[in-house]
Amino acid sequence: NAGVMQNPRHLVRRRGQEARLRCSPMKGHSHVYWYRQLPEEGLKFMVYLQKENIIDESGMPKERFSAEFPKEGPSILRIQQVVRGDSAAYFCASSLNTGDQETQYFGPGTRLLVL
Amino acid sequence: AQSVTQLGSHVSVSEGALVLLRCNYSSSVPPYLFWYVQYPNQGLQLLLKYTSAATLVKGINGFEAEFKKSETSFHLTKPSAHMSDAAEYFCAVSDANNNDMRFGAGTRLTVKP
């Protein structure tokens, strides 16, 4: 059973471009979470999605950031008009369900560098 | 709302010495607590978790953590450090729904030969 997969592993963008980060959850998992890890900081929750639904986006910046988890295909974290401050590692996690004892399994992350 | 504080951004121990990584939590509801390890350029790997069962939790790679409600702590320990334990360790807390997990800032463990 393959783990959580993220691609690309590294992404370089110039200011003003768009960044698309993909996350394929573990097989059978229908819950996806995105986290951002800024240099020298811990991980910050961004958004929680189930198939075709955004459940909690309280950690998402109000502008330029969006996320989706379509019925078919991976979850996408999209950053429009990137700025240097968006440079970070973005981690995706998935879980089978929510509630007691449902563990989040993390992908290897996508490291975004904005020039 | 939940939060965790990890005391010490860097911890250095000698190989074979005790490893103690500190984590204190704040939660208005019974917390679920986790320790994750992150090796360079990799994702996070779950070491262990506490979900209201036994207060002493054993995890992988010889690590364990004890939930102490009176001290609001969930410190991570290992009796004897190995060189391969060098990594960044994150403490995390969530509520029972496990939706909004909050992480500490991380503690970087260095193991000296």
Side-chain angles (χ1 to χ4, degrees):
Chain A
N1 187 8
V4 178
M5 299 175 67
Q6 290 186 249
N7 67 82
R9 293 291 305 276
H10 299 272
L11 182 61
V12 179
R13 286 288 179 266
R14 297 191 182 279
R15 281 178 297 170
Q17 293 183 320
E18 178 180 284
R20 279 182 180 245
L21 288 64
R22 294 174 183 78
C23 170
S24 296
M26 287 180 68
K27 187 177 181 180
H29 285 193
S30 59
H31 300 254
V32 166
Y33 313 80
W34 284 94
Y35 295 86
R36 177 164 62 174
Q37 184 181 29
L38 292 167
E40 305 302 322
E41 294 187 21
L43 287 94
K44 307 287 186 184
F45 168 79
M46 298 181 74
V47 62
Y48 160 47
L49 310 101
Q50 294 181 27
K51 288 283 187 180
E52 300 183 280
N53 285 305
I54 296 175
I55 307 302
D56 181 355
E57 57 181 347
S58 58
M60 287 279 272
K62 294 290 185 283
E63 297 177 346
R64 301 187 297 107
F65 284 72
S66 62
E68 63 177 11
F69 189 19
K71 187 176 181 181
E72 300 291 338
S75 175
I76 305 289
L77 179 66
R78 183 183 178 202
I79 311 172
Q80 295 177 290
Q81 299 176 328
V82 296
V83 301
R84 287 211 174 115
D86 297 333
S87 295
Y90 292 83
F91 288 94
C92 165
S94 73
S95 69
L96 182 62
N97 207 331
T98 58
D100 192 13
Q101 314 224 2
E102 284 305 329
T103 301
Q104 294 184 21
Y105 295 88
F106 283 78
T110 294
R111 281 149 184 85
L112 172 65
L113 175 62
V114 180
L115 302 177
Chain B
Q2 295 90 229
S3 66
V4 290
T5 302
Q6 290 184 242
L7 300 175
S9 59
H10 291 86
V11 171
S12 181
V13 300
S14 298
E15 192 173 17
L18 171 72
V19 175
L20 171 61
L21 305 182
R22 299 177 187 275
C23 173
N24 287 88
Y25 70 90
S26 172
S27 178
S28 56
V29 297
Y32 290 159
L33 294 157
F34 307 80
W35 276 100
Y36 284 88
V37 60
Q38 184 182 26
Y39 297 102
N41 296 316
Q42 295 187 26
L44 287 89
Q45 180 181 1
L46 180 69
L47 276 178
L48 49 81
K49 60 183 179 181
Y50 166 78
T51 54
S52 75
T55 56
L56 181 62
V57 182
K58 294 188 182 299
I60 63 171
N61 300 340
F63 284 92
E64 63 182 35
E66 186 172 8
F67 172 70
K68 292 186 177 180
K69 186 177 179 180
S70 61
E71 299 177 7
T72 61
S73 69
F74 191 59
H75 302 330
L76 181 71
T77 61
K78 181 174 181 177
S80 176
H82 294 167
M83 297 297 291
S84 60
D85 294 328
E88 184 123 24
Y89 292 80
F90 290 93
C91 180
V93 63
S94 74
D95 60 17
N97 290 321
N98 201 26
N99 293 345
D100 183 4
M101 187 175 291
R102 303 295 173 116
F103 285 83
T107 297
R108 186 172 300 278
L109 176 66
T110 302
V111 182
K112 299 175 291 185

